[in-house]
Amino acid sequence: MADHLAVTVPLSSIERIQIYVNSARRSLPQIQAETGADYILNGTLYNTRTFAPVCHLKVDGTVLCNPDYSVMGYAWDDGPDIFMDSLPDPARRDYIACTPLIVSSKPLSKLTYDSGQGGKRGRSVIGIKGDRLSLYCTRDGGSMARTPEALRDDLAAAGWDSAVMLDGGGSSSCWFRGNEMISDSDRKIHDYILVFLKKEELPMGVKTYSAKKDGSTYLSTNFRVKEFACNDGSDTVLISEELVNLLQKIRDHFGDQVIINSGYRTSTYNKQVGGATNSQHVKGTAADIVVKGATPLEVAQYAEYLQPNSGGIGVYQSFTHVDVRSSRSRWDNRSGKEIVVSGWPGYQEASVDNIPSSAHKEGVAWALENGILRGNADGDLMLSQPVTVQKLCTMMKRLAKHLGKD
């Protein structure tokens, strides 16, 4: 387990900073999964008995704690505008304070803190260094535990322009873009500082959905939003319309269920499963699929037929990867090692079998007219092909519906 995590984030890359009040007493991983924040750091001191903050704290315009003293802390309206300020400041939307360590590039000679904050403990700090937001966290009981004074000296030596020590000890915990450090996993912390970075513009045709609200919504004849949701349980789902169209064509062609093993992935989950840094899954433009009754190679060959000059198609032992990138990429991973290939030829567009014999012409016409016989997506009725049990069941269901017995 890491003893120390520290990051500096360009203020220009920050979309917003949020103070998350943990009323539901969730764990840090749960909060990250819920919010999708890029950086999370525990907040200010609180009373563990009443679960109420004891230092200056204002959240979304509401003052949650207003002690009868002034102190230097951090205030902001959106996030990129964060600065060290004398608190309380009624003009600001959000602010947080605890123990200031460095003000105007000068380490404070005398620090003011309660006796319970003294000694060598895990520490959490928020600060500013040049044009960057600085976040620092050490594990309680770890090799980087510091007294407040030693912490101040470390940060001053590192060139911090300003710094405020937050709650520490067992509360010291953070999540920095997939790197996590928690001093006490059983402790429920009152508030966290959440930093959200500006996101890249979504690719053309990619839409954002909520797994909770939109999960049952159909995107096409056979595919719903929840099938593309990230396997880590997060709510946000990015889905490309072009990808849905591709999968529906594959579904129609093979005439059987297409199972999406992995659709959209959050950056965190993609890293956990060893995905490529610039994975199409993170952009909502890729899916790893299994088609019932078809091999991964057969699926790749048909996908090649559908998009010969673009997209990504990869064949694995048990599934096929397809994506709708504008460039073209092909690979074979069936051996467990990725090998670049030129393509996946082999699919032959079959000639249609749509002309019945004279003895069956009337019956075929009736079945077509009443929706019992439909053929595949390529318009092939496959009149001379053997009928499988599953196809027979489908046709019987259509007949029952026609007779009003469905």
Side-chain angles (χ1 to χ4, degrees):
M1 179 184 294
D3 278 349
H4 167 238
L5 290 174
V7 296
T8 62
V9 184
L11 293 172
S12 60
S13 70
I14 295 174
E15 178 182 284
R16 63 188 175 94
I17 299 176
Q18 172 189 348
I19 299 175
Y20 181 100
V21 179
N22 192 18
S23 303
R25 307 195 181 196
R26 295 185 171 93
S27 67
L28 190 152
Q30 289 174 327
I31 292 172
Q32 198 287 321
E34 173 194 342
T35 64
D38 293 287
Y39 299 96
I40 304 177
L41 181 66
N42 68 278
T44 193
L45 287 168
Y46 64 99
N47 186 311
T48 56
R49 182 178 57 82
T50 63
F51 208 63
V54 297
C55 297
H56 283 288
L57 187 66
K58 187 177 183 181
V59 181
D60 291 336
T62 300
V63 175
L64 300 186
C65 186
N66 187 27
D68 58 355
Y69 61 83
S70 296
V71 67
M72 299 303 289
Y74 287 100
W76 64 93
D77 291 323
D78 301 309
D81 58 340
I82 188 170
F83 70 107
M84 181 163 261
D85 190 14
S86 178
L87 305 180
D89 183 348
R92 299 301 167 185
R93 180 181 176 83
D94 296 275
Y95 57 66
I96 190 168
C98 194
T99 303
L101 302 176
I102 302 173
V103 177
S104 300
S105 301
K106 296 180 180 180
L108 298 182
S109 58
K110 180 176 177 56
L111 303 183
T112 302
Y113 54 85
D114 293 333
S115 58
Q117 293 178 271
K120 286 188 175 182
R121 303 297 305 273
R123 301 294 176 188
S124 295
V125 185
I126 183 172
I128 293 176
K129 182 178 179 181
D131 60 353
R132 304 173 77 93
L133 175 71
S134 298
L135 304 173
Y136 173 101
C137 188
T138 61
R139 184 171 60 85
D140 197 35
S143 61
M144 294 292 289
R146 294 288 189 270
T147 65
E149 289 76 14
L151 175 65
R152 171 202 60 198
D153 295 343
D154 285 350
L155 300 180
W160 287 40
D161 298 317
S162 60
V164 168
M165 183 176 75
L166 301 165
D167 194 6
S171 293
S172 187
S173 54
C174 65
W175 190 96
F176 295 162
R177 304 204 83 176
N179 297 307
E180 177 184 280
M181 195 192 66
I182 300 176
S183 291
D184 183 351
S185 59
D186 293 325
R187 179 173 295 196
K188 304 307 178 187
I189 296 171
H190 175 270
D191 58 274
Y192 290 89
I193 299 170
L194 276 54
V195 180
F196 298 84
L197 300 182
K198 295 176 181 177
K199 305 301 180 185
E200 292 183 8
E201 204 170 310
L202 293 178
M204 185 75 71
V206 175
K207 295 183 178 180
T208 302
Y209 297 89
S210 162
K212 295 177 182 177
K213 296 179 182 178
D214 308 317
S216 297
T217 300
Y218 275 93
L219 302 167
S220 67
T221 304
N222 297 104
F223 293 96
R224 290 185 285 183
V225 168
K226 63 182 179 182
E227 297 177 68
F228 294 83
C230 183
N231 290 329
D232 67 0
S234 54
D235 184 56
T236 299
V237 190
L238 303 184
I239 307 174
S240 161
E241 293 178 330
E242 188 178 354
L243 176 65
V244 174
N245 292 336
L246 174 65
L247 296 181
Q248 187 62 54
K249 289 177 181 177
I250 292 173
R251 169 68 170 80
D252 292 342
H253 171 73
F254 288 100
D256 216 325
Q257 184 180 7
V258 174
I259 300 169
I260 301 175
N261 288 343
S262 181
Y264 170 66
R265 297 176 189 166
T266 62
S267 297
T268 303
Y269 182 73
N270 184 63
K271 184 177 180 180
Q272 289 175 358
V273 299
T277 303
N278 197 34
S279 172
Q280 296 292 316
H281 288 279
V282 177
K283 302 175 182 179
T285 56
D288 296 339
I289 61 174
V290 174
V291 180
K292 286 191 174 182
T295 66
L297 176 58
E298 289 172 332
V299 175
Q301 289 171 333
Y302 186 64
E304 183 77 55
Y305 166 74
L306 293 175
Q307 48 177 24
N309 301 313
S310 63
I313 305 173
V315 178
Y316 295 74
Q317 288 186 350
S318 59
F319 67 89
T320 308
H321 169 101
V322 294
D323 67 58
V324 291
R325 71 184 79 181
S326 58
S327 58
R328 185 179 185 276
S329 182
R330 304 290 186 266
W331 65 94
D332 187 348
N333 201 295
R334 286 174 291 183
S335 65
K337 181 179 180 180
E338 186 172 306
I339 301 172
V340 176
V341 296
S342 60
W344 296 108
Y347 173 75
Q348 295 285 334
E349 187 174 9
S351 58
V352 296
D353 181 13
N354 291 349
I355 303 176
S357 65
S358 57
H360 301 292
K361 188 173 182 179
E362 185 177 347
V364 169
W366 178 88
L368 283 170
E369 181 181 351
N370 292 284
I372 312 302
L373 177 62
R374 297 180 185 175
N376 63 22
D378 299 320
D380 187 0
L381 298 179
M382 300 174 287
L383 295 178
S384 301
Q385 298 297 314
V387 178
T388 63
V389 172
Q390 58 186 4
K391 290 179 180 178
L392 178 62
C393 290
T394 298
M395 294 178 72
M396 291 175 65
K397 181 176 176 60
R398 291 172 185 165
L399 177 61
K401 185 176 182 179
H402 173 71
L403 298 175
K405 295 182 178 182
D406 186 16

PDB file of all heavy atoms in Angstrom, residues 13 18 33 73 76 85 97 115 151 153 173 177 189 198 206 235 241 269 294 319 329 338 344 353 379 389 391:
ATOM      1  N   SER A  13      -6.779  23.242 -16.502  1.00  0.00           N
ATOM      2  CA  SER A  13      -7.371  21.978 -16.925  1.00  0.00           C
ATOM      3  C   SER A  13      -8.524  21.547 -16.021  1.00  0.00           C
ATOM      4  O   SER A  13      -9.154  20.522 -16.262  1.00  0.00           O
ATOM      5  CB  SER A  13      -6.306  20.872 -16.935  1.00  0.00           C
ATOM      6  OG  SER A  13      -5.908  20.543 -15.610  1.00  0.00           O
ATOM      7  N   GLN A  18     -15.561  20.540  -6.258  1.00  0.00           N
ATOM      8  CA  GLN A  18     -16.768  20.332  -5.458  1.00  0.00           C
ATOM      9  C   GLN A  18     -16.398  19.858  -4.057  1.00  0.00           C
ATOM     10  O   GLN A  18     -15.477  19.069  -3.883  1.00  0.00           O
ATOM     11  CB  GLN A  18     -17.665  19.285  -6.128  1.00  0.00           C
ATOM     12  CG  GLN A  18     -18.871  18.847  -5.299  1.00  0.00           C
ATOM     13  CD  GLN A  18     -19.586  17.658  -5.904  1.00  0.00           C
ATOM     14  OE1 GLN A  18     -19.334  17.282  -7.052  1.00  0.00           O
ATOM     15  NE2 GLN A  18     -20.478  17.041  -5.150  1.00  0.00           N
ATOM     16  N   ALA A  33     -16.999   6.138  -7.657  1.00  0.00           N
ATOM     17  CA  ALA A  33     -17.846   5.472  -8.645  1.00  0.00           C
ATOM     18  C   ALA A  33     -19.112   6.282  -8.912  1.00  0.00           C
ATOM     19  O   ALA A  33     -19.599   6.348 -10.042  1.00  0.00           O
ATOM     20  CB  ALA A  33     -18.208   4.070  -8.161  1.00  0.00           C
ATOM     21  N   GLY A  73      -7.849  30.175   4.356  1.00  0.00           N
ATOM     22  CA  GLY A  73      -8.267  28.907   3.776  1.00  0.00           C
ATOM     23  C   GLY A  73      -8.369  29.065   2.266  1.00  0.00           C
ATOM     24  O   GLY A  73      -7.789  29.996   1.688  1.00  0.00           O
ATOM     25  N   TRP A  76     -13.558  29.505  -3.642  1.00  0.00           N
ATOM     26  CA  TRP A  76     -13.747  29.496  -5.098  1.00  0.00           C
ATOM     27  C   TRP A  76     -15.236  29.566  -5.417  1.00  0.00           C
ATOM     28  O   TRP A  76     -16.097  29.334  -4.551  1.00  0.00           O
ATOM     29  CB  TRP A  76     -13.124  28.242  -5.720  1.00  0.00           C
ATOM     30  CG  TRP A  76     -13.749  26.936  -5.297  1.00  0.00           C
ATOM     31  CD1 TRP A  76     -14.756  26.253  -5.913  1.00  0.00           C
ATOM     32  CD2 TRP A  76     -13.405  26.157  -4.149  1.00  0.00           C
ATOM     33  NE1 TRP A  76     -15.063  25.105  -5.231  1.00  0.00           N
ATOM     34  CE2 TRP A  76     -14.241  25.014  -4.145  1.00  0.00           C
ATOM     35  CE3 TRP A  76     -12.469  26.302  -3.112  1.00  0.00           C
ATOM     36  CZ2 TRP A  76     -14.175  24.041  -3.144  1.00  0.00           C
ATOM     37  CZ3 TRP A  76     -12.397  25.330  -2.127  1.00  0.00           C
ATOM     38  CH2 TRP A  76     -13.245  24.213  -2.152  1.00  0.00           C
ATOM     39  N   ASP A  85      -7.714  32.652   0.800  1.00  0.00           N
ATOM     40  CA  ASP A  85      -8.602  33.753   1.169  1.00  0.00           C
ATOM     41  C   ASP A  85      -8.765  33.771   2.685  1.00  0.00           C
ATOM     42  O   ASP A  85      -8.618  32.741   3.362  1.00  0.00           O
ATOM     43  CB  ASP A  85      -9.961  33.532   0.492  1.00  0.00           C
ATOM     44  CG  ASP A  85     -10.892  34.728   0.594  1.00  0.00           C
ATOM     45  OD1 ASP A  85     -10.419  35.817   0.945  1.00  0.00           O
ATOM     46  OD2 ASP A  85     -12.094  34.552   0.321  1.00  0.00           O
ATOM     47  N   ALA A  97     -11.476  25.426   5.294  1.00  0.00           N
ATOM     48  CA  ALA A  97     -10.318  25.817   6.086  1.00  0.00           C
ATOM     49  C   ALA A  97      -9.994  24.728   7.095  1.00  0.00           C
ATOM     50  O   ALA A  97     -10.818  23.851   7.379  1.00  0.00           O
ATOM     51  CB  ALA A  97     -10.580  27.139   6.804  1.00  0.00           C
ATOM     52  N   SER A 115      -4.570  19.795  20.037  1.00  0.00           N
ATOM     53  CA  SER A 115      -3.576  18.798  20.459  1.00  0.00           C
ATOM     54  C   SER A 115      -3.771  17.468  19.732  1.00  0.00           C
ATOM     55  O   SER A 115      -2.803  16.748  19.459  1.00  0.00           O
ATOM     56  CB  SER A 115      -3.662  18.582  21.968  1.00  0.00           C
ATOM     57  OG  SER A 115      -4.981  18.150  22.335  1.00  0.00           O
ATOM     58  N   LEU A 151       5.723  18.803   8.200  1.00  0.00           N
ATOM     59  CA  LEU A 151       4.949  18.856   6.955  1.00  0.00           C
ATOM     60  C   LEU A 151       5.090  20.221   6.306  1.00  0.00           C
ATOM     61  O   LEU A 151       5.331  20.337   5.094  1.00  0.00           O
ATOM     62  CB  LEU A 151       3.476  18.555   7.259  1.00  0.00           C
ATOM     63  CG  LEU A 151       2.491  18.677   6.097  1.00  0.00           C
ATOM     64  CD1 LEU A 151       2.787  17.637   5.029  1.00  0.00           C
ATOM     65  CD2 LEU A 151       1.053  18.517   6.608  1.00  0.00           C
ATOM     66  N   ASP A 153       7.511  22.334   6.619  1.00  0.00           N
ATOM     67  CA  ASP A 153       8.865  22.507   6.100  1.00  0.00           C
ATOM     68  C   ASP A 153       9.070  21.737   4.789  1.00  0.00           C
ATOM     69  O   ASP A 153       9.728  22.224   3.867  1.00  0.00           O
ATOM     70  CB  ASP A 153       9.881  22.036   7.145  1.00  0.00           C
ATOM     71  CG  ASP A 153       9.851  22.897   8.406  1.00  0.00           C
ATOM     72  OD1 ASP A 153       9.297  24.017   8.334  1.00  0.00           O
ATOM     73  OD2 ASP A 153      10.359  22.439   9.449  1.00  0.00           O
ATOM     74  N   SER A 173      -6.965  10.311   3.467  1.00  0.00           N
ATOM     75  CA  SER A 173      -7.278   9.385   2.375  1.00  0.00           C
ATOM     76  C   SER A 173      -7.468  10.154   1.084  1.00  0.00           C
ATOM     77  O   SER A 173      -7.860  11.328   1.088  1.00  0.00           O
ATOM     78  CB  SER A 173      -8.537   8.566   2.690  1.00  0.00           C
ATOM     79  OG  SER A 173      -9.623   9.414   3.005  1.00  0.00           O
ATOM     80  N   ARG A 177      -6.830   9.718  -9.678  1.00  0.00           N
ATOM     81  CA  ARG A 177      -6.888   9.110 -11.009  1.00  0.00           C
ATOM     82  C   ARG A 177      -6.467   7.634 -10.996  1.00  0.00           C
ATOM     83  O   ARG A 177      -5.598   7.208 -11.733  1.00  0.00           O
ATOM     84  CB  ARG A 177      -6.052   9.897 -12.006  1.00  0.00           C
ATOM     85  CG  ARG A 177      -6.427  11.354 -12.111  1.00  0.00           C
ATOM     86  CD  ARG A 177      -6.030  11.954 -13.437  1.00  0.00           C
ATOM     87  NE  ARG A 177      -7.034  11.676 -14.467  1.00  0.00           N
ATOM     88  CZ  ARG A 177      -6.974  12.142 -15.712  1.00  0.00           C
ATOM     89  NH1 ARG A 177      -5.953  12.889 -16.085  1.00  0.00           N
ATOM     90  NH2 ARG A 177      -7.909  11.854 -16.578  1.00  0.00           N
ATOM     91  N   ILE A 189     -15.939   9.533   6.528  1.00  0.00           N
ATOM     92  CA  ILE A 189     -15.444  10.901   6.563  1.00  0.00           C
ATOM     93  C   ILE A 189     -16.535  11.871   6.166  1.00  0.00           C
ATOM     94  O   ILE A 189     -17.308  11.627   5.238  1.00  0.00           O
ATOM     95  CB  ILE A 189     -14.222  11.017   5.635  1.00  0.00           C
ATOM     96  CG1 ILE A 189     -13.096  10.121   6.190  1.00  0.00           C
ATOM     97  CG2 ILE A 189     -13.751  12.451   5.489  1.00  0.00           C
ATOM     98  CD1 ILE A 189     -11.928   9.965   5.269  1.00  0.00           C
ATOM     99  N   LYS A 198     -11.458  19.024 -17.169  1.00  0.00           N
ATOM    100  CA  LYS A 198     -12.179  19.264 -18.411  1.00  0.00           C
ATOM    101  C   LYS A 198     -12.083  18.023 -19.286  1.00  0.00           C
ATOM    102  O   LYS A 198     -11.034  17.393 -19.375  1.00  0.00           O
ATOM    103  CB  LYS A 198     -11.585  20.468 -19.152  1.00  0.00           C
ATOM    104  CG  LYS A 198     -11.757  21.785 -18.415  1.00  0.00           C
ATOM    105  CD  LYS A 198     -11.057  22.923 -19.157  1.00  0.00           C
ATOM    106  CE  LYS A 198     -11.217  24.234 -18.401  1.00  0.00           C
ATOM    107  NZ  LYS A 198     -10.482  25.337 -19.065  1.00  0.00           N
ATOM    108  N   VAL A 206     -21.472  10.306 -30.630  1.00  0.00           N
ATOM    109  CA  VAL A 206     -21.447   9.673 -29.308  1.00  0.00           C
ATOM    110  C   VAL A 206     -22.337  10.469 -28.361  1.00  0.00           C
ATOM    111  O   VAL A 206     -22.214  11.687 -28.256  1.00  0.00           O
ATOM    112  CB  VAL A 206     -20.012   9.591 -28.752  1.00  0.00           C
ATOM    113  CG1 VAL A 206     -20.022   9.051 -27.324  1.00  0.00           C
ATOM    114  CG2 VAL A 206     -19.155   8.702 -29.637  1.00  0.00           C
ATOM    115  N   ASP A 235     -22.547   5.071 -13.405  1.00  0.00           N
ATOM    116  CA  ASP A 235     -23.826   5.438 -14.020  1.00  0.00           C
ATOM    117  C   ASP A 235     -23.690   5.988 -15.443  1.00  0.00           C
ATOM    118  O   ASP A 235     -24.500   5.684 -16.309  1.00  0.00           O
ATOM    119  CB  ASP A 235     -24.546   6.468 -13.138  1.00  0.00           C
ATOM    120  CG  ASP A 235     -25.917   6.818 -13.659  1.00  0.00           C
ATOM    121  OD1 ASP A 235     -26.731   5.888 -13.839  1.00  0.00           O
ATOM    122  OD2 ASP A 235     -26.184   8.004 -13.896  1.00  0.00           O
ATOM    123  N   GLU A 241     -23.678   6.122 -31.850  1.00  0.00           N
ATOM    124  CA  GLU A 241     -24.790   5.698 -32.704  1.00  0.00           C
ATOM    125  C   GLU A 241     -24.291   4.793 -33.819  1.00  0.00           C
ATOM    126  O   GLU A 241     -24.957   3.820 -34.197  1.00  0.00           O
ATOM    127  CB  GLU A 241     -25.477   6.929 -33.308  1.00  0.00           C
ATOM    128  CG  GLU A 241     -26.196   7.799 -32.296  1.00  0.00           C
ATOM    129  CD  GLU A 241     -26.815   9.024 -32.942  1.00  0.00           C
ATOM    130  OE1 GLU A 241     -26.267   9.506 -33.954  1.00  0.00           O
ATOM    131  OE2 GLU A 241     -27.854   9.489 -32.453  1.00  0.00           O
ATOM    132  N   TYR A 269     -11.699   2.056 -14.908  1.00  0.00           N
ATOM    133  CA  TYR A 269     -11.944   0.632 -15.138  1.00  0.00           C
ATOM    134  C   TYR A 269     -11.081   0.123 -16.285  1.00  0.00           C
ATOM    135  O   TYR A 269     -10.553  -1.003 -16.233  1.00  0.00           O
ATOM    136  CB  TYR A 269     -13.420   0.398 -15.448  1.00  0.00           C
ATOM    137  CG  TYR A 269     -13.753  -1.064 -15.645  1.00  0.00           C
ATOM    138  CD1 TYR A 269     -13.790  -1.934 -14.557  1.00  0.00           C
ATOM    139  CD2 TYR A 269     -14.000  -1.577 -16.911  1.00  0.00           C
ATOM    140  CE1 TYR A 269     -14.076  -3.283 -14.732  1.00  0.00           C
ATOM    141  CE2 TYR A 269     -14.280  -2.922 -17.102  1.00  0.00           C
ATOM    142  CZ  TYR A 269     -14.320  -3.764 -16.005  1.00  0.00           C
ATOM    143  OH  TYR A 269     -14.586  -5.100 -16.185  1.00  0.00           O
ATOM    144  N   ALA A 294     -21.946 -18.368 -33.683  1.00  0.00           N
ATOM    145  CA  ALA A 294     -20.912 -17.916 -34.614  1.00  0.00           C
ATOM    146  C   ALA A 294     -19.575 -17.847 -33.899  1.00  0.00           C
ATOM    147  O   ALA A 294     -19.502 -17.508 -32.719  1.00  0.00           O
ATOM    148  CB  ALA A 294     -21.262 -16.553 -35.197  1.00  0.00           C
ATOM    149  N   PHE A 319     -14.106 -14.006 -28.044  1.00  0.00           N
ATOM    150  CA  PHE A 319     -14.944 -12.867 -28.429  1.00  0.00           C
ATOM    151  C   PHE A 319     -14.298 -12.096 -29.571  1.00  0.00           C
ATOM    152  O   PHE A 319     -13.140 -12.334 -29.933  1.00  0.00           O
ATOM    153  CB  PHE A 319     -15.192 -11.939 -27.238  1.00  0.00           C
ATOM    154  CG  PHE A 319     -13.958 -11.222 -26.739  1.00  0.00           C
ATOM    155  CD1 PHE A 319     -13.579  -9.994 -27.254  1.00  0.00           C
ATOM    156  CD2 PHE A 319     -13.173 -11.782 -25.730  1.00  0.00           C
ATOM    157  CE1 PHE A 319     -12.442  -9.327 -26.804  1.00  0.00           C
ATOM    158  CE2 PHE A 319     -12.034 -11.139 -25.269  1.00  0.00           C
ATOM    159  CZ  PHE A 319     -11.679  -9.909 -25.804  1.00  0.00           C
ATOM    160  N   SER A 329      -7.862  -0.541 -38.273  1.00  0.00           N
ATOM    161  CA  SER A 329      -6.936  -1.351 -37.481  1.00  0.00           C
ATOM    162  C   SER A 329      -7.459  -2.784 -37.403  1.00  0.00           C
ATOM    163  O   SER A 329      -8.657  -2.999 -37.184  1.00  0.00           O
ATOM    164  CB  SER A 329      -6.788  -0.767 -36.067  1.00  0.00           C
ATOM    165  OG  SER A 329      -5.867  -1.518 -35.304  1.00  0.00           O
ATOM    166  N   GLU A 338      -0.976 -10.081 -29.130  1.00  0.00           N
ATOM    167  CA  GLU A 338      -1.574  -9.314 -30.228  1.00  0.00           C
ATOM    168  C   GLU A 338      -0.666  -9.281 -31.455  1.00  0.00           C
ATOM    169  O   GLU A 338       0.504  -8.914 -31.363  1.00  0.00           O
ATOM    170  CB  GLU A 338      -1.881  -7.892 -29.773  1.00  0.00           C
ATOM    171  CG  GLU A 338      -2.624  -7.067 -30.810  1.00  0.00           C
ATOM    172  CD  GLU A 338      -3.084  -5.742 -30.252  1.00  0.00           C
ATOM    173  OE1 GLU A 338      -3.776  -5.748 -29.209  1.00  0.00           O
ATOM    174  OE2 GLU A 338      -2.734  -4.711 -30.855  1.00  0.00           O
ATOM    175  N   TRP A 344      -9.598  -9.243 -42.322  1.00  0.00           N
ATOM    176  CA  TRP A 344     -10.312 -10.489 -42.037  1.00  0.00           C
ATOM    177  C   TRP A 344     -11.199 -10.870 -43.225  1.00  0.00           C
ATOM    178  O   TRP A 344     -12.418 -10.828 -43.148  1.00  0.00           O
ATOM    179  CB  TRP A 344     -11.157 -10.335 -40.763  1.00  0.00           C
ATOM    180  CG  TRP A 344     -10.323 -10.104 -39.546  1.00  0.00           C
ATOM    181  CD1 TRP A 344     -10.192  -8.953 -38.834  1.00  0.00           C
ATOM    182  CD2 TRP A 344      -9.488 -11.069 -38.904  1.00  0.00           C
ATOM    183  NE1 TRP A 344      -9.330  -9.112 -37.789  1.00  0.00           N
ATOM    184  CE2 TRP A 344      -8.874 -10.418 -37.803  1.00  0.00           C
ATOM    185  CE3 TRP A 344      -9.179 -12.420 -39.153  1.00  0.00           C
ATOM    186  CZ2 TRP A 344      -7.987 -11.066 -36.957  1.00  0.00           C
ATOM    187  CZ3 TRP A 344      -8.290 -13.057 -38.310  1.00  0.00           C
ATOM    188  CH2 TRP A 344      -7.705 -12.386 -37.222  1.00  0.00           C
ATOM    189  N   ASP A 353     -31.978 -16.859 -51.801  1.00  0.00           N
ATOM    190  CA  ASP A 353     -32.746 -18.073 -52.104  1.00  0.00           C
ATOM    191  C   ASP A 353     -34.219 -17.755 -51.862  1.00  0.00           C
ATOM    192  O   ASP A 353     -34.800 -18.151 -50.858  1.00  0.00           O
ATOM    193  CB  ASP A 353     -32.245 -19.198 -51.198  1.00  0.00           C
ATOM    194  CG  ASP A 353     -32.959 -20.512 -51.454  1.00  0.00           C
ATOM    195  OD1 ASP A 353     -33.648 -20.617 -52.481  1.00  0.00           O
ATOM    196  OD2 ASP A 353     -32.853 -21.417 -50.605  1.00  0.00           O
ATOM    197  N   GLY A 379     -32.066  -9.819 -46.926  1.00  0.00           N
ATOM    198  CA  GLY A 379     -33.190 -10.055 -47.819  1.00  0.00           C
ATOM    199  C   GLY A 379     -33.289 -11.475 -48.333  1.00  0.00           C
ATOM    200  O   GLY A 379     -34.049 -11.756 -49.272  1.00  0.00           O
ATOM    201  N   VAL A 389     -34.108 -25.833 -34.756  1.00  0.00           N
ATOM    202  CA  VAL A 389     -35.151 -25.817 -33.723  1.00  0.00           C
ATOM    203  C   VAL A 389     -35.461 -24.391 -33.303  1.00  0.00           C
ATOM    204  O   VAL A 389     -36.627 -24.013 -33.132  1.00  0.00           O
ATOM    205  CB  VAL A 389     -34.715 -26.660 -32.506  1.00  0.00           C
ATOM    206  CG1 VAL A 389     -35.700 -26.478 -31.356  1.00  0.00           C
ATOM    207  CG2 VAL A 389     -34.610 -28.128 -32.878  1.00  0.00           C
ATOM    208  N   LYS A 391     -35.122 -21.617 -35.030  1.00  0.00           N
ATOM    209  CA  LYS A 391     -35.861 -20.914 -36.080  1.00  0.00           C
ATOM    210  C   LYS A 391     -37.312 -21.378 -36.120  1.00  0.00           C
ATOM    211  O   LYS A 391     -38.229 -20.581 -36.339  1.00  0.00           O
ATOM    212  CB  LYS A 391     -35.192 -21.134 -37.435  1.00  0.00           C
ATOM    213  CG  LYS A 391     -33.856 -20.429 -37.585  1.00  0.00           C
ATOM    214  CD  LYS A 391     -33.240 -20.702 -38.950  1.00  0.00           C
ATOM    215  CE  LYS A 391     -31.907 -19.991 -39.104  1.00  0.00           C
ATOM    216  NZ  LYS A 391     -31.269 -20.280 -40.408  1.00  0.00           N
TER     217      LYS A 391
END
